[in-house]
Amino acid sequence: MDSNPSTNIRPDVGLLQSAIQLAQSSPPTWQSAILSNIFICLLGSPLLVAGLSLPGIGAAFLLGTLIWRAFGPSGFLLVAVYFVIGTGVTKVKMAQKEAQGVAEKRKGRRGPGSVIGSSAAGCVCALLSVYGGGDKTFARLCELGFVASFCTKLSDTVSSEIGKAYGKTTYLVTTFKVVPRGTEGAVSVEGTVAGVLASILLASVACFLGEIKMAEAVICVLASQIANVGESVIGAVLQDKEGFKWLNNDAVNVINISLGCILAILIQQFVLQNLLP
C-alpha cells in the first residue's frame, strides 16, 4: 500500500491538467467547448439565474457551446458582455416598468424563446463557420455577421429598456405621433441614443478581441441601426395586427437580428471592398 499522499493525488492532478489542456484547444473542438462552457456556467450561475429561467439557461448553454466551438473564447466573451449589459438594463427601474405594464415578464428573466430569438442569426453564422469548408474569407464573413447580429440585438434591448425607464416622450416611428411608453414601434430620443452607444460599445469590444477590424466595427453599428429602424416599423405596422398574431416579440427579434447580420455582410462585400484596396 502506498502511504505517500502525493502519489495518491497524482491521477487527479493529471486529470485536471488534461481538462485544462482540452479547454485551451486551438482551434476549439466540441469537447473543449462543452468543458469550457460547463465551467463558466457554474462560475456564472448567479448571473444566469438572475437573467434567465431554467429552460432559458439550458438554451444559453447550447448557444455558448456552439459559439465557443465556432469562434473560440473571444466569441464567447462577446456574447457574455451582451448578456451582462442586456440583463442589467432590463432590471433598470423594474418597479416603475411593472407599474406601467411595460416590464419584461418574470422580472426580466428570459426563457428559451427569447434566447433563441436573440441569437438565431448568430447561431446560423456559427454553424456556417464550423461547417463551411474551412474557407478563411467565408469564415470572416460569418464572424462579421455574428458580431453584427449581437450588436443589433443589444442596441434594440438597450434602446427599448432605457426608453421605457427614462424616455420622456415616445413617438411612433411611422407617424412620429406621441404614444404611450411600451407601444410597439415606439421610439424615444433617450432610448435611441442609449441603443447607439450600446452598439458602439459591443462593436468596440469585438474589435478589441480581434473578432472584427475597426472598419467592420463601424459597419456593425450602421447595420444595427438600420435593422432597428426596420424592426420598429414592423412593430408599428404589423405586430398584433389581424393576420399577424404569429408575429410576436421573439419572431420580430429573429427578423431584426437577421437583417442586421445580412446588412453588415452586404455592406462589407459591396461597399467596404470597393473603398479599401
Side-chain angles (χ1 to χ4, degrees):
M1 179 177 179
D2 190 347
S3 59
N4 187 343
S6 62
T7 303
N8 293 333
I9 65 171
R10 279 175 187 166
D12 294 334
V13 173
L15 183 62
L16 178 60
Q17 290 176 337
S18 298
I20 293 173
Q21 289 174 353
L22 178 61
Q24 294 175 335
S25 297
S26 182
T29 63
W30 285 113
Q31 292 89 339
S32 67
I34 293 171
L35 182 63
S36 301
N37 205 20
I38 289 174
F39 175 74
I40 293 172
C41 283
L42 290 174
L43 196 65
S45 56
L47 184 59
L48 287 173
V49 170
L52 298 170
S53 65
L54 188 58
I57 291 174
F61 178 81
L62 295 177
L63 166 65
T65 300
L66 173 60
I67 297 305
W68 191 292
R69 171 62 181 85
F71 304 119
S74 60
F76 187 96
L77 182 57
L78 186 75
V79 176
V81 171
Y82 153 79
F83 176 73
V84 170
I85 297 175
T87 299
V89 295
T90 301
K91 304 293 184 182
V92 172
K93 289 196 174 185
M94 178 60 75
Q96 172 187 301
K97 294 174 187 175
E98 288 178 332
Q100 295 174 341
V102 296
E104 292 290 332
K105 299 176 182 177
R106 300 184 296 271
K107 299 287 184 180
R109 296 175 70 235
R110 302 178 186 273
S114 180
V115 173
I116 295 170
S118 301
S119 63
C123 287
V124 171
C125 289
L127 287 170
L128 289 174
S129 178
V130 173
Y131 298 110
D135 182 79
K136 289 185 178 180
T137 301
F138 180 73
R140 287 290 300 172
L141 284 176
C142 289
E143 199 159 12
L144 172 63
F146 160 76
V147 173
S149 72
F150 279 98
C151 285
T152 301
K153 184 52 194 156
L154 182 64
S155 180
D156 176 50
T157 299
V158 170
S159 62
S160 176
E161 295 299 331
I162 295 301
K164 287 187 286 189
Y166 296 105
K168 294 179 180 179
T169 307
T170 51
Y171 306 89
L172 196 64
V173 70
T174 51
T175 63
F176 288 99
K177 290 182 179 179
V178 177
V179 292
R181 292 179 184 177
T183 301
E184 296 296 345
V187 296
S188 68
V189 173
E190 296 84 355
T192 300
V193 171
V196 172
L197 293 176
S199 180
I200 292 172
L201 174 60
L202 197 63
S204 299
V205 171
C207 189
F208 175 78
L209 293 172
E211 294 274 314
I212 54 176
K213 298 176 182 178
M214 182 63 72
E216 292 172 331
V218 175
I219 288 175
C220 287
V221 174
L222 177 61
S224 70
Q225 299 315 301
I226 297 173
N228 283 337
V229 171
E231 187 258 1
S232 295
V233 172
I234 290 172
V237 175
L238 300 178
Q239 200 166 357
D240 294 330
K241 301 299 189 294
E242 189 65 33
F244 291 93
K245 298 298 182 182
W246 57 270
L247 196 64
N248 57 20
N249 285 335
D250 294 335
V252 172
N253 282 338
V254 172
I255 296 172
N256 183 31
I257 61 176
S258 299
L259 183 58
C261 170
I262 293 169
L263 279 173
I265 292 173
L266 290 177
I267 293 172
Q268 199 278 345
Q269 285 291 282
F270 297 105
V271 178
L272 189 62
Q273 291 282 51
N274 294 326
L275 293 177
L276 297 177

